[in-house]
Amino acid sequence: PYTLGVSVSRSVGGHEQSGYFSPIIERNSTVPISRVERYAPVRDGQKLLTLRIYQGESPRVAGNVLLGEIEVPLRPGLPRDDNECDVRFTYDVNGLLQVEVPRVADGVRHEKVLKRLETAMEPAEIS
């Protein structure tokens, strides 16, 4: 019932401000659903992209619920546009959220599965 997305930084008046919510799957979408958005690191030469995953409706992540995070190592020394990543959220009827993050340039993929917070599933049930 809630929007799912990630925390992003934005340039406001030439200064970087973090903590904005970027939706990937909008609330009340028909399940199962899979959506993808493309993101770039904030700075040239950045070595790691940390994606914090939230649910909620606030434009700022402080008003939303943190579900988890995934870290994606970036290729060092490259401009930010050469280190873009596609972030795919796939949400199923069992309340599992699969987060896949391939780097656009080379396809190296990182993945995380988050279980529904209200459910006490064992790790073996998720695989």
Side-chain angles (χ1 to χ4, degrees), residues 18-79:
S18 61
Y20 288 94
F21 184 57
S22 178
I24 296 178
I25 295 178
E26 297 290 340
R27 69 184 277 178
N28 296 325
S29 296
T30 302
V31 176
I33 188 170
S34 185
R35 293 281 187 265
V36 64
E37 293 289 336
R38 184 165 287 180
Y39 297 95
V42 175
R43 293 173 299 284
D44 291 339
Q46 192 169 323
K47 297 178 182 177
L48 186 68
L49 183 65
T50 301
L51 293 163
R52 289 182 182 86
I53 302 152
Y54 288 87
Q55 73 175 11
E57 305 309 319
S58 175
R60 301 287 295 194
V61 294
N64 295 328
V65 176
L66 177 65
L67 299 177
E69 72 177 36
I70 185 170
E71 291 186 340
V72 179
L74 299 173
R75 298 176 306 150
L78 293 178

Side-chain angles (χ1 to χ4, degrees), residues 31-124:
V31 176
I33 188 170
S34 185
R35 293 281 187 265
V36 64
E37 293 289 336
R38 184 165 287 180
Y39 297 95
V42 175
R43 293 173 299 284
D44 291 339
Q46 192 169 323
K47 297 178 182 177
L48 186 68
L49 183 65
T50 301
L51 293 163
R52 289 182 182 86
I53 302 152
Y54 288 87
Q55 73 175 11
E57 305 309 319
S58 175
R60 301 287 295 194
V61 294
N64 295 328
V65 176
L66 177 65
L67 299 177
E69 72 177 36
I70 185 170
E71 291 186 340
V72 179
L74 299 173
R75 298 176 306 150
L78 293 178
R80 61 185 295 278
D81 291 338
D82 291 339
N83 261 328
E84 291 181 320
C85 293
D86 283 337
V87 178
R88 175 178 296 278
F89 280 12
T90 303
Y91 191 72
D92 72 12
V93 295
N94 297 312
L96 295 180
L97 176 64
Q98 179 183 16
V99 180
E100 296 175 272
V101 188
R103 293 188 311 220
V104 174
D106 61 8
V108 172
R109 188 176 78 113
H110 298 272
E111 180 179 350
K112 183 164 192 149
V113 175
L114 301 170
K115 59 186 174 181
R116 187 171 57 192
L117 297 177
E118 300 83 21
T119 305
M121 293 178 70
E122 298 297 324

Side-chain angles (χ1 to χ4, degrees), residues 10-17:
R10 294 183 180 160
S11 179
V12 178
H15 300 295
E16 175 188 325
Q17 291 186 354

